[in-house]
Amino acid sequence: MSIPSIFFSSKEEKDRVFYNEQGAVSSIAWRIASLLPDPLVQPVAIVCIGTDRSTGDSLGPLVGTMLKEKPLARFHVYGTLEEPIHAVNLEEKVEAIRLIHHDPFMIAVDACLGRLKSVGAITIAKGPVRPGAGVNKQLLPVGDAHITGVVNVSGFMEFFVLQNTRLHLVMNMAKTIANGIYDAERFILRKERLAAPPLPTDRHSLW
């Protein structure tokens, strides 16, 4: 199983959005788009970390599964309920992604634990996610940027807490994150279309 990271209020607090607040999807989309290189010439790999064997840890693969059902054009999704990326295969899967795509910009998606007041918060920030930090495990840091969702409270019997996390919460957080990622790609595509030179309308201009 994958082991979530841990979240505490910090300088990144300004980058967090609660899944059920008004405009959450748009806020997530804007934050993701602002972290991507401009112009975007790299392939973008969304690496969804977690396992469906633990309710709390299923956030990542739920996001991956939901994204697979959307008509993505530029973003490539890895880690689903059917083919999860977790602690056992993390390094192997990340290496495979790097073989498939030349110099990909990776966005890691993972569940995490945090303070009670942070449950339901989604953080979008630069830098890798560190799976396992919440339970003192050292796993491969993943991502040029990361999206993490606080699914429950840390501090005591983390594995038990993850197993007893409400699926309702995790599903709703996953929907918000997946829709935010999808809208971020649509924003990027729209921006590229507006920046492209107009096609000639006069047939004589083709010669």
PDB file of all heavy atoms in Angstrom, residues 96-112:
ATOM      1  N   ALA A  96       9.425   4.062 -15.542  1.00  0.00           N
ATOM      2  CA  ALA A  96       8.722   3.727 -16.787  1.00  0.00           C
ATOM      3  C   ALA A  96       8.139   4.976 -17.438  1.00  0.00           C
ATOM      4  O   ALA A  96       8.181   5.127 -18.671  1.00  0.00           O
ATOM      5  CB  ALA A  96       7.615   2.711 -16.507  1.00  0.00           C
ATOM      6  N   ILE A  97       7.608   5.886 -16.639  1.00  0.00           N
ATOM      7  CA  ILE A  97       7.060   7.131 -17.173  1.00  0.00           C
ATOM      8  C   ILE A  97       8.162   7.944 -17.843  1.00  0.00           C
ATOM      9  O   ILE A  97       7.964   8.526 -18.917  1.00  0.00           O
ATOM     10  CB  ILE A  97       6.379   7.942 -16.050  1.00  0.00           C
ATOM     11  CG1 ILE A  97       5.121   7.214 -15.563  1.00  0.00           C
ATOM     12  CG2 ILE A  97       6.023   9.351 -16.528  1.00  0.00           C
ATOM     13  CD1 ILE A  97       4.539   7.771 -14.280  1.00  0.00           C
ATOM     14  N   ARG A  98       9.336   7.971 -17.238  1.00  0.00           N
ATOM     15  CA  ARG A  98      10.456   8.719 -17.815  1.00  0.00           C
ATOM     16  C   ARG A  98      10.959   8.079 -19.110  1.00  0.00           C
ATOM     17  O   ARG A  98      11.532   8.766 -19.969  1.00  0.00           O
ATOM     18  CB  ARG A  98      11.597   8.815 -16.800  1.00  0.00           C
ATOM     19  CG  ARG A  98      11.231   9.643 -15.571  1.00  0.00           C
ATOM     20  CD  ARG A  98      12.443   9.967 -14.738  1.00  0.00           C
ATOM     21  NE  ARG A  98      12.102  10.673 -13.519  1.00  0.00           N
ATOM     22  CZ  ARG A  98      11.818  11.971 -13.455  1.00  0.00           C
ATOM     23  NH1 ARG A  98      11.854  12.702 -14.559  1.00  0.00           N
ATOM     24  NH2 ARG A  98      11.508  12.542 -12.291  1.00  0.00           N
ATOM     25  N   LEU A  99      10.770   6.784 -19.260  1.00  0.00           N
ATOM     26  CA  LEU A  99      11.145   6.116 -20.509  1.00  0.00           C
ATOM     27  C   LEU A  99      10.121   6.390 -21.609  1.00  0.00           C
ATOM     28  O   LEU A  99      10.469   6.468 -22.791  1.00  0.00           O
ATOM     29  CB  LEU A  99      11.278   4.605 -20.278  1.00  0.00           C
ATOM     30  CG  LEU A  99      12.459   4.154 -19.416  1.00  0.00           C
ATOM     31  CD1 LEU A  99      12.397   2.649 -19.162  1.00  0.00           C
ATOM     32  CD2 LEU A  99      13.783   4.520 -20.093  1.00  0.00           C
ATOM     33  N   ILE A 100       8.855   6.528 -21.213  1.00  0.00           N
ATOM     34  CA  ILE A 100       7.795   6.782 -22.188  1.00  0.00           C
ATOM     35  C   ILE A 100       7.844   8.216 -22.699  1.00  0.00           C
ATOM     36  O   ILE A 100       7.672   8.477 -23.894  1.00  0.00           O
ATOM     37  CB  ILE A 100       6.409   6.498 -21.560  1.00  0.00           C
ATOM     38  CG1 ILE A 100       6.273   5.011 -21.233  1.00  0.00           C
ATOM     39  CG2 ILE A 100       5.270   6.941 -22.495  1.00  0.00           C
ATOM     40  CD1 ILE A 100       5.061   4.674 -20.381  1.00  0.00           C
ATOM     41  N   HIS A 101       8.089   9.155 -21.803  1.00  0.00           N
ATOM     42  CA  HIS A 101       8.068  10.581 -22.149  1.00  0.00           C
ATOM     43  C   HIS A 101       9.447  11.192 -21.935  1.00  0.00           C
ATOM     44  O   HIS A 101      10.088  10.952 -20.915  1.00  0.00           O
ATOM     45  CB  HIS A 101       7.047  11.324 -21.283  1.00  0.00           C
ATOM     46  CG  HIS A 101       5.667  10.757 -21.347  1.00  0.00           C
ATOM     47  ND1 HIS A 101       4.858  10.867 -22.456  1.00  0.00           N
ATOM     48  CD2 HIS A 101       4.956  10.063 -20.422  1.00  0.00           C
ATOM     49  CE1 HIS A 101       3.699  10.274 -22.223  1.00  0.00           C
ATOM     50  NE2 HIS A 101       3.735   9.767 -21.006  1.00  0.00           N
ATOM     51  N   HIS A 102       9.873  11.988 -22.892  1.00  0.00           N
ATOM     52  CA  HIS A 102      11.151  12.683 -22.763  1.00  0.00           C
ATOM     53  C   HIS A 102      10.992  13.898 -21.862  1.00  0.00           C
ATOM     54  O   HIS A 102      10.204  14.792 -22.145  1.00  0.00           O
ATOM     55  CB  HIS A 102      11.653  13.127 -24.138  1.00  0.00           C
ATOM     56  CG  HIS A 102      12.905  13.962 -24.068  1.00  0.00           C
ATOM     57  ND1 HIS A 102      14.112  13.446 -23.622  1.00  0.00           N
ATOM     58  CD2 HIS A 102      13.115  15.278 -24.335  1.00  0.00           C
ATOM     59  CE1 HIS A 102      15.024  14.403 -23.649  1.00  0.00           C
ATOM     60  NE2 HIS A 102      14.440  15.523 -24.075  1.00  0.00           N
ATOM     61  N   ASP A 103      11.728  13.918 -20.760  1.00  0.00           N
ATOM     62  CA  ASP A 103      11.751  15.047 -19.834  1.00  0.00           C
ATOM     63  C   ASP A 103      10.346  15.501 -19.447  1.00  0.00           C
ATOM     64  O   ASP A 103       9.981  16.668 -19.641  1.00  0.00           O
ATOM     65  CB  ASP A 103      12.522  16.213 -20.464  1.00  0.00           C
ATOM     66  CG  ASP A 103      12.767  17.343 -19.474  1.00  0.00           C
ATOM     67  OD1 ASP A 103      12.852  17.067 -18.258  1.00  0.00           O
ATOM     68  OD2 ASP A 103      12.852  18.511 -19.913  1.00  0.00           O
ATOM     69  N   PRO A 104       9.531  14.616 -18.871  1.00  0.00           N
ATOM     70  CA  PRO A 104       8.160  15.006 -18.526  1.00  0.00           C
ATOM     71  C   PRO A 104       8.105  15.948 -17.332  1.00  0.00           C
ATOM     72  O   PRO A 104       8.949  15.884 -16.434  1.00  0.00           O
ATOM     73  CB  PRO A 104       7.495  13.666 -18.191  1.00  0.00           C
ATOM     74  CG  PRO A 104       8.620  12.829 -17.659  1.00  0.00           C
ATOM     75  CD  PRO A 104       9.837  13.222 -18.477  1.00  0.00           C
ATOM     76  N   PHE A 105       7.112  16.819 -17.336  1.00  0.00           N
ATOM     77  CA  PHE A 105       6.800  17.616 -16.151  1.00  0.00           C
ATOM     78  C   PHE A 105       5.795  16.800 -15.352  1.00  0.00           C
ATOM     79  O   PHE A 105       4.666  16.579 -15.802  1.00  0.00           O
ATOM     80  CB  PHE A 105       6.206  18.965 -16.544  1.00  0.00           C
ATOM     81  CG  PHE A 105       5.996  19.894 -15.374  1.00  0.00           C
ATOM     82  CD1 PHE A 105       6.966  20.814 -15.022  1.00  0.00           C
ATOM     83  CD2 PHE A 105       4.827  19.846 -14.627  1.00  0.00           C
ATOM     84  CE1 PHE A 105       6.786  21.676 -13.940  1.00  0.00           C
ATOM     85  CE2 PHE A 105       4.634  20.699 -13.545  1.00  0.00           C
ATOM     86  CZ  PHE A 105       5.614  21.617 -13.205  1.00  0.00           C
ATOM     87  N   MET A 106       6.202  16.327 -14.183  1.00  0.00           N
ATOM     88  CA  MET A 106       5.360  15.432 -13.403  1.00  0.00           C
ATOM     89  C   MET A 106       4.611  16.192 -12.316  1.00  0.00           C
ATOM     90  O   MET A 106       5.189  16.999 -11.587  1.00  0.00           O
ATOM     91  CB  MET A 106       6.197  14.326 -12.744  1.00  0.00           C
ATOM     92  CG  MET A 106       6.762  13.316 -13.708  1.00  0.00           C
ATOM     93  SD  MET A 106       7.425  11.883 -12.802  1.00  0.00           S
ATOM     94  CE  MET A 106       8.149  10.956 -14.162  1.00  0.00           C
ATOM     95  N   ILE A 107       3.323  15.907 -12.240  1.00  0.00           N
ATOM     96  CA  ILE A 107       2.494  16.420 -11.151  1.00  0.00           C
ATOM     97  C   ILE A 107       2.012  15.217 -10.343  1.00  0.00           C
ATOM     98  O   ILE A 107       1.254  14.385 -10.851  1.00  0.00           O
ATOM     99  CB  ILE A 107       1.289  17.214 -11.679  1.00  0.00           C
ATOM    100  CG1 ILE A 107       1.755  18.397 -12.537  1.00  0.00           C
ATOM    101  CG2 ILE A 107       0.429  17.709 -10.510  1.00  0.00           C
ATOM    102  CD1 ILE A 107       0.621  19.189 -13.157  1.00  0.00           C
ATOM    103  N   ALA A 108       2.470  15.101  -9.121  1.00  0.00           N
ATOM    104  CA  ALA A 108       2.096  13.982  -8.263  1.00  0.00           C
ATOM    105  C   ALA A 108       0.809  14.318  -7.509  1.00  0.00           C
ATOM    106  O   ALA A 108       0.625  15.446  -7.050  1.00  0.00           O
ATOM    107  CB  ALA A 108       3.216  13.679  -7.271  1.00  0.00           C
ATOM    108  N   VAL A 109      -0.068  13.329  -7.416  1.00  0.00           N
ATOM    109  CA  VAL A 109      -1.323  13.476  -6.664  1.00  0.00           C
ATOM    110  C   VAL A 109      -1.329  12.419  -5.568  1.00  0.00           C
ATOM    111  O   VAL A 109      -1.145  11.226  -5.848  1.00  0.00           O
ATOM    112  CB  VAL A 109      -2.551  13.295  -7.578  1.00  0.00           C
ATOM    113  CG1 VAL A 109      -3.839  13.474  -6.781  1.00  0.00           C
ATOM    114  CG2 VAL A 109      -2.497  14.260  -8.761  1.00  0.00           C
ATOM    115  N   ASP A 110      -1.538  12.835  -4.321  1.00  0.00           N
ATOM    116  CA  ASP A 110      -1.470  11.879  -3.221  1.00  0.00           C
ATOM    117  C   ASP A 110      -2.352  12.337  -2.064  1.00  0.00           C
ATOM    118  O   ASP A 110      -2.632  13.535  -1.906  1.00  0.00           O
ATOM    119  CB  ASP A 110      -0.022  11.747  -2.735  1.00  0.00           C
ATOM    120  CG  ASP A 110       0.226  10.513  -1.882  1.00  0.00           C
ATOM    121  OD1 ASP A 110      -0.666   9.635  -1.824  1.00  0.00           O
ATOM    122  OD2 ASP A 110       1.301  10.430  -1.265  1.00  0.00           O
ATOM    123  N   ALA A 111      -2.795  11.384  -1.266  1.00  0.00           N
ATOM    124  CA  ALA A 111      -3.501  11.696  -0.025  1.00  0.00           C
ATOM    125  C   ALA A 111      -2.479  12.048   1.051  1.00  0.00           C
ATOM    126  O   ALA A 111      -1.321  11.643   0.994  1.00  0.00           O
ATOM    127  CB  ALA A 111      -4.326  10.488   0.423  1.00  0.00           C
ATOM    128  N   CYS A 112      -2.911  12.802   2.047  1.00  0.00           N
ATOM    129  CA  CYS A 112      -2.049  13.056   3.192  1.00  0.00           C
ATOM    130  C   CYS A 112      -2.901  13.217   4.441  1.00  0.00           C
ATOM    131  O   CYS A 112      -4.125  13.303   4.384  1.00  0.00           O
ATOM    132  CB  CYS A 112      -1.158  14.280   2.965  1.00  0.00           C
ATOM    133  SG  CYS A 112      -2.038  15.842   2.842  1.00  0.00           S
TER     134      CYS A 112
END
